[in-house]
Amino acid sequence: MKALLLLAAGMLVAAPAWTQNRVIPQAGLKSGFEFLSPDLKKMQLDDFANPGTLWVDRGEKLWRAEAGAAKKSCADCHGDARASMKGVAARYPQVDRHSGDLMTLEARILQSRVERQKAVPFARESEDLLALSAYVAYQSRGMAMEADIEGAARKHFDAGEAMFFRRRGQLNLNCAHCHDANWGRTLYAERISQGQPNAYPAYRLEWQTLGSLERRLRACLSGVRAEILPFGSPEYADLALYLSWRAKGLPIETPGVRR
Amino acid sequence: MQYAVNAAAALLVAAMAAGFAQAQTPPLSLVPYVVAGGSIEKPLAAPGNVQRGQAIVLDKSLSSCVLCHVVPDPEHRPMGNIAPPLAGVGARLSAGQMRLRLVDSTLLNAHSIMPPYYRVEGLHQVAPAWRGKPIMSAQQIEDMVAWLLTLKEPPR
């Protein structure tokens, strides 16, 4: 069975047209949560024990804080995030109607920050950007991921899919080798999950802090000794869109807890 | 690029199955080798050192072998189970067959996920620190072959 999957993953490299099919059927999707130890599961589920709650709380304060030359808070335009941001994260990454660019949730928040608040952008992976993206994504907790891959999003999806199946790095591995063909097995001392994006931003014990999906992807890339692109590179957004489609139906867990 | 390499490897495998003698020459920066009949017969460097070979294979960050394989280890450190256990491999494979698998397993099976330890071409987006360098030197390959050949006992 595993060998068959491996073969399938290999053939996908040679024949991108076939990749419309899901390697992991939707009914077989498993969140990274299912691969956690009982202790970490408990930590994620308990808001008081989950370290990510700190960022969500900080995000709530930032949401109401006036900023930039426009002297407006997020709330001034968007109102109560519990209503206006509900379900938003589940639809990201999403194509910007005006520019045609594919935007991750972080990119969208930065866009509002710069274009609407007229404020200096937050740095990628800064506490403030993580806090706001955690707060916004938290409003979709429990909701199913449902990124749109049709229309203008299609070419980004195709690029992300190609990236997922492209061998890279000195170790010459693609994402599917670990997350489609070998999930459930052990890599050194770690159980490999399906590589789903639904927990992010997530608190990772190894980081001792909250981090974005992109930061997690960079860890996988450097694991295979592949080139790391700058944060916010369009390639990562494309890959994130493929991951969102691949995770379609999994509930958002932000803020997740991971090893 | 990868497509071409995979296609070439697939042809190679097909031709080997058909029993033709095969020859493939590596890029100039590496010690030249010839793949024939599923094996690289000629050593790439001086005879391997068993102790050094063991140390390389067991060093996770140097060789990554134990990420995927369980190998006999007196200290019982953690190891992965993505790939077959290597205990007994010395009884299953000859030195030449072992060498080919370490140099580039995709020459044998285009879909292999085992990293190519002695290859620099046809790789995509290698991090700058590793670009143009094989994962292992020719001597390290020989050292590992020497130790792997001592693993005659099947897994318990």
Side-chain angles (χ1 to χ4, degrees):
Chain A
M1 185 58 189
K2 289 277 179 184
L4 264 180
L5 281 179
L6 205 71
L7 193 66
M11 286 185 327
L12 296 176
V13 174
W18 292 23
T19 54
Q20 301 305 318
N21 301 327
R22 290 175 174 278
V23 179
I24 304 174
Q26 250 178 302
L29 293 181
K30 284 188 199 301
S31 164
F33 179 82
E34 298 193 36
F35 299 82
L36 296 178
S37 67
D39 281 357
L40 288 189
K41 282 184 177 160
K42 248 170 61 196
M43 191 190 280
Q44 175 171 313
L45 293 177
D46 175 358
D47 284 347
F48 293 101
N50 185 334
T53 306
L54 290 173
W55 280 264
V56 174
D57 290 348
R58 179 178 178 142
E60 185 177 10
K61 291 196 187 80
L62 286 169
W63 182 262
R64 287 191 262 102
E66 201 176 83
K71 294 201 173 4
K72 286 211 184 318
S73 70
C74 318
D76 285 338
C77 294
H78 294 290
D80 187 343
R82 285 172 301 181
S84 66
M85 292 291 137
K86 194 174 161 93
V88 168
R91 300 194 306 265
Y92 272 74
Q94 196 179 65
V95 172
D96 180 82
R97 262 173 298 167
H98 313 289
S99 67
D101 292 344
L102 183 69
M103 309 201 94
T104 59
L105 189 62
E106 287 95 338
R108 183 65 99 187
I109 290 170
L110 283 172
Q111 182 188 47
S112 263
R113 167 104 181 150
V114 173
E115 292 175 17
R116 315 278 173 190
Q117 290 185 311
K118 314 277 182 216
V120 285
F122 299 121
R124 293 277 174 167
E125 299 303 299
S126 63
E127 296 287 291
D128 286 350
L129 183 55
L130 287 169
L132 275 170
S133 34
Y135 179 62
V136 170
Y138 180 75
Q139 311 309 324
S140 303
R141 194 144 84 151
M143 295 177 71
M145 300 200 69
E146 48 162 357
D148 181 11
I149 61 162
E150 299 307 331
R154 192 68 202 193
K155 67 170 198 270
H156 297 288
F157 172 81
D158 290 343
E161 182 184 49
M163 188 166 169
F164 191 86
F165 291 102
R166 178 88 197 252
R167 286 183 186 255
R168 67 186 66 239
Q170 197 190 30
L171 301 197
N172 200 33
L173 292 169
N174 68 30
C175 314
H177 287 141
C178 286
H179 294 300
D180 279 347
N182 281 301
W183 64 265
R185 293 197 176 153
T186 305
L187 184 76
Y188 187 57
E190 220 176 348
R191 261 186 97 204
I192 305 177
S193 75
Q194 296 178 349
Q196 305 291 0
N198 55 316
Y200 291 82
Y203 185 91
R204 201 173 160 213
L205 274 78
E206 194 182 311
W207 297 332
Q208 301 262 309
T209 186
L210 200 78
S212 66
L213 174 63
E214 215 172 301
R215 183 166 179 196
R216 174 64 246 189
L217 298 182
R218 289 159 75 102
C220 288
L221 289 168
S222 59
V224 299
R225 299 183 177 176
E227 208 178 314
I228 305 290
L229 306 174
F231 273 108
S233 295
E235 288 85 347
Y236 288 143
D238 293 347
L239 184 56
L241 179 61
Y242 177 73
L243 293 178
S244 292
W245 169 81
R246 186 173 168 269
K248 193 182 174 85
L250 281 182
I252 298 227
E253 291 173 11
T254 313
V257 172
R258 294 293 184 267
R259 251 170 307 140
Chain B
M1 191 60 198
Q2 193 59 47
Y3 303 53
V5 169
N6 281 344
L11 277 178
L12 185 76
V13 172
M16 278 184 325
F20 295 121
Q22 282 303 311
Q24 169 148 340
T25 340
L28 287 177
S29 54
L30 303 183
V31 174
Y33 58 82
V34 174
V35 181
S39 158
I40 298 175
E41 287 302 315
K42 201 167 152 265
L44 304 171
N49 176 295
V50 172
Q51 277 74 40
R52 273 201 318 253
Q54 176 180 32
I56 295 168
V57 173
L58 287 175
D59 184 335
K60 165 180 86 102
S61 40
L62 180 61
S63 66
S64 311
C65 311
V66 297
L67 254 54
C68 298
H69 292 279
V70 174
V71 303
D73 170 26
E75 292 182 33
H76 302 288
R77 283 164 283 204
M79 292 177 189
N81 65 359
I82 290 177
L86 292 183
V89 75
R92 288 196 295 278
L93 299 178
S94 70
Q97 290 171 321
M98 206 82 81
R99 194 172 289 116
L100 172 59
R101 281 159 178 80
L102 297 184
V103 163
D104 185 355
S105 272
T106 67
L107 294 174
L108 208 56
N109 161 16
H111 305 301
S112 178
I113 65 165
M114 175 149 153
Y117 282 91
Y118 198 64
R119 165 176 157 191
V120 294
E121 295 212 325
L123 301 175
H124 178 60
Q125 284 188 353
V126 176
W130 310 102
R131 214 169 286 159
K133 298 175 191 142
I135 305 174
M136 292 286 160
S137 70
Q139 188 60 56
Q140 286 173 315
I141 299 281
E142 291 307 319
D143 292 344
M144 290 195 287
V145 168
W147 183 61
L148 292 169
L149 285 171
T150 68
L151 304 180
K152 307 283 190 202
E153 291 287 311
R156 279 177 299 128

